[in-house]
Amino acid sequence: MSKLVTIFGGSGFVGRYIARRMAKEGWRVRVAVRRPNEAIFVRPYGAVGQVEPILANIRDDASVAAAIAGADAVVNCVGVLTERGKNGFEAVQTEGAARIARLAAEAGVGQLVHLSAIGANAESDSDYARSKAEGEAAVQAHFPGAVILRPSVIFGTEDEFFNRFAKMTKLGPVLPLVGGNSRFQPVYVDDVAKAAVAGVLGQAEAGIYELGGPDVETLHDLMVKMLGVIRRRRLIVNLPFWVGSVMAFGFGAMQALTVGLIHNGVLTRDQVRQLRRDNVVSDGAKGFADLGIDPTDMDAVLAEYLWVYRPGGQYSALQDSARNLRNT
């Protein structure tokens, strides 16, 4: 285990999958996070001492430099879906990304993989999309050989997409959607991890890769699929964008009035702007095919973790068996 990779955000949703795969490749893995005591679960990914969480703050030069020191490769998985305190879009996704790339280049790191998102656009009216694009530009300026990954919405056991909507089905008979006609191309989290590993191992050319799964579906159709998996009937209501904007304003006002004590993790005005655009791979963009990866179909994965939202929960299979027995 002579080689070392530092993964910023290595205990997060995508980072943990990359950490596990890099450990299987025989690399030492340094998981750089803000709260290493909450990332102890990554240690069993490898042999004793092979995977180690350490303290790092991407808003601080000295902290980032210490995390990078001695690393052969660096992966940046840090990102925020909503702004909270000092961890805003600009601080994390633009300045943080630039800092990691600059210090990695100064340290002579061999490979840099940066996790961005489909929809990154410097001209976007969405702060999230704009900060992602500015972060990409900074990474390429400081580290021209970087591999940048732009996944569509990511699904998997710990996701904040299908899990969030599945939880909402427990609140009532109606499932409200903003941007129900917007198209998505959900990508499996472990496929994104495979792409990142390819970048670390030098198996991917420098540049931007847009990662999408094999299916392109509207948000409405994805919810229909999810309801089928969890075996619940709900009325899906597609709300106009102006209604979504009003709702987002109300949630934002609540957060402001409570001075952040109540965080708006439901719907923000920036997210409403993002939902106005499709989240799919662009024509002609490099993607999984260029990395030799065959993306996983949603149908092969969703039931493995969404079963907890079924009316019978862990006993749903037993109930199905009993029902089939009665029918025979």
Side-chain angles (χ1 to χ4, degrees), residues 20-312:
R20 185 185 293 114
R21 284 195 165 273
M22 288 308 305
K24 289 181 179 179
E25 291 290 337
W27 285 51
R28 288 181 293 133
V29 183
R30 186 182 287 163
V31 175
V33 293
R34 287 186 299 157
R35 301 182 182 90
N37 59 305
E38 296 179 6
I40 302 299
F41 65 87
V42 302
R43 285 180 171 172
Y45 290 172
V48 176
Q50 184 181 0
V51 183
E52 191 67 27
I54 66 166
L55 175 66
N57 182 350
I58 66 168
R59 302 197 311 272
D60 179 73
D61 272 32
S63 180
V64 172
I68 290 175
D72 299 281
V74 170
V75 181
N76 178 24
C77 300
V78 182
V80 290
L81 296 175
T82 58
E83 297 184 299
R84 190 167 192 172
K86 295 181 180 179
N87 294 313
F89 295 137
E90 185 76 17
V92 174
Q93 297 177 168
T94 300
E95 296 173 3
R99 180 172 292 109
I100 291 172
R102 172 172 55 82
L103 293 175
E106 292 176 359
V109 170
Q111 303 290 338
L112 173 64
V113 177
H114 175 71
L115 196 67
S116 185
I118 283 181
N121 184 352
E123 304 300 324
S124 176
D125 59 350
S126 163
D127 293 335
Y128 174 87
R130 187 170 59 254
S131 65
K132 281 289 189 182
E134 292 171 350
E136 289 181 1
V139 167
Q140 290 182 314
H142 292 294
F143 206 112
V147 172
I148 297 176
L149 305 178
R150 288 181 176 178
S152 182
V153 61
I154 305 175
F155 68 91
T157 304
E158 307 86 358
D159 72 43
E160 295 186 19
F161 184 69
F162 285 113
N163 276 304
R164 172 181 290 189
F165 285 107
K167 289 176 183 177
M168 289 173 60
T169 63
K170 295 184 176 182
L171 302 179
V174 177
L175 183 62
L177 296 180
V178 177
N181 293 322
S182 296
R183 298 186 304 151
F184 291 82
Q185 196 168 349
V187 57
Y188 183 41
V189 60
D190 200 39
D191 291 337
V192 178
K194 290 178 183 178
V197 170
V200 171
L201 299 181
Q203 299 170 353
E205 296 181 358
I208 297 175
Y209 296 80
E210 296 197 353
L211 309 180
D215 301 312
V216 176
E217 299 189 34
T218 65
L219 180 58
H220 178 279
D221 290 341
L222 289 174
M223 293 303 101
V224 171
K225 182 185 291 288
M226 179 269 293
L227 289 172
V229 173
I230 66 174
R231 302 174 187 174
R232 291 181 183 271
R233 294 183 179 180
R234 293 293 182 267
L235 176 63
I236 302 176
V237 178
N238 292 331
L239 301 176
F241 285 111
W242 70 268
V243 173
S245 297
V246 172
M247 292 172 58
F249 177 81
F251 291 133
M254 185 183 301
Q255 175 175 307
L257 291 173
T258 59
V259 197
L261 292 178
I262 298 178
H263 176 64
N264 177 18
V266 181
L267 183 68
T268 67
R269 285 180 289 179
D270 196 75
Q271 289 172 336
V272 173
R273 297 187 192 104
Q274 295 174 52
L275 286 168
R276 292 179 179 274
R277 299 173 180 82
D278 291 337
N279 195 267
V280 298
V281 173
S282 305
D283 292 336
K286 291 192 294 185
F288 280 127
D290 300 276
L291 299 171
I293 299 172
D294 186 18
T296 305
D297 190 280
M298 285 182 288
D299 294 335
V301 178
L302 293 184
E304 292 184 358
Y305 67 96
L306 292 181
W307 58 265
V308 298
Y309 301 104
R310 292 173 179 172

